[in-house]
Amino acid sequence: MATTSIAVTETPLVLTLLRRADDALVLGHRLSEWTGHAPTLEEELALPNIALDLIGQARALYQYAGELSGHDEDQLAYLRDAAAYRNCLLVEQPNGDFARTIARQMLYTAFIDPFWRAATASTDATIAAIAGKAEKETAYHLRHAGEWLVRLGDGTEESHRRAQDAVDWLWPYTGELFESDAAEQQMIAAGVLPDPATLRDAWDRTMEALLTRATLHRPSDGWAQTGGRRGVHSEHLGTLLAEMQILQRTYPGARW
Amino acid sequence: MTTKPGTQQDTQKDAPSASKTVTPLWEVFIRARDGLAHRHVGSVHAADATMALSAARDVYTRRGEGLSIWVVPSAAITASDPADKAMLFEPTGSKIYRHPTFYEVPDEVGHI
């Protein structure tokens, strides 16, 4: 029966899957907002390409989470409120200018690319298969965002200023990427997914090398924003979901 | 006299200086399968060769078109002048014997 809202029973595995799926969906949606607004034709195609990869990853993860929780992928995407979304705060931040979109993509991808590579060794065959597909996609996302960040940072005076602003602005949202809680630790101990904390060194090395090439300075690791993984989001997620979910919320079960 | 391909695209009204100097034009060649030659498929604007390869991948291989991409600065291509068409190409028009249509293949040969 068509409904306008669902409550998901979050077992440790379902919760862990939703965290990864919501990251991918929310960031994919953010990138899709560039469609029709990108600075060049080339990026007009590149950004939605990446968005489609991410939404594909989200679908695969939602399908699996849905099998375990009794919902379908559309219900998980369209019928949960912001407080039930488990994505990190970084991915829901608004696009801003092109530099901020690229910096956000880079900071996330420098984490998720090694994450999926490690997850190809998951003890869960479904997750290993999803990771195997995702890591090829994120490897390209890393190259795309990284090369752009270098061109912007080491470009004109204005592009350098905007790139540095973007990195400074988003940096406090990166600490959350490496967090986990007791439920996720159960999955980590069972070898289902990698421990985000163990990817911190690789992320630091990737960002350090890239920022040096981009002639940008690395912000210091101070106080980090957190809360997204337990549903405490910035105001921006609510407006993003309102736009994304309005059709299914207004006409429950609508199909086309 | 020679003309450079892409000169016309380069004189876009909206951003002539940016498209010409910051992101010049690159010609894109894609090889669809092993054993085939790279074929010209179009062009992209990009700051340098690395970005041009990336843009070419995003613009021209979205439906599984390619196994290999070449990008070449449009400015590096020397093209024939359309005004020389008569001199360059018309003389071959009368040399129909160069087409392999005058050989009689004996039936015994079958399909070759």
Side-chain angles (χ1 to χ4, degrees), chain A residues 42 46 49 140 147-148 151, chain B residues 44-45 48 51 54 57-58:
Chain A
E42 289 79 355
N49 270 351
Y140 182 76
E147 295 295 339
W148 261 116
R151 300 309 184 283
Chain B
V44 292
H45 282 283
D48 51 47
M51 298 300 275
S54 185
R57 180 264 191 194
D58 288 325

Side-chain angles (χ1 to χ4, degrees), chain B residues 23-104:
Chain B
T23 56
L25 200 64
W26 301 75
E27 299 302 320
V28 180
F29 299 81
I30 305 271
R31 181 160 59 82
R33 293 205 314 271
D34 288 330
L36 296 183
H38 285 74
R39 289 186 63 141
H40 184 242
V41 293
S43 55
V44 292
H45 282 283
D48 51 47
T50 305
M51 298 300 275
L53 266 183
S54 185
R57 180 264 191 194
D58 288 325
V59 175
Y60 292 109
T61 67
R62 299 168 68 235
R63 299 178 184 86
E65 292 92 336
L67 291 178
S68 166
I69 306 171
W70 288 350
V71 289
V72 178
S74 302
I77 294 178
T78 306
S80 61
D81 186 342
D84 290 342
K85 209 162 58 177
M87 171 182 80
L88 293 175
F89 308 118
E90 274 184 25
T92 66
S94 58
K95 298 182 178 64
I96 53 172
Y97 45 81
R98 286 181 179 166
H99 294 275
T101 52
F102 293 91
Y103 302 96
E104 291 204 8

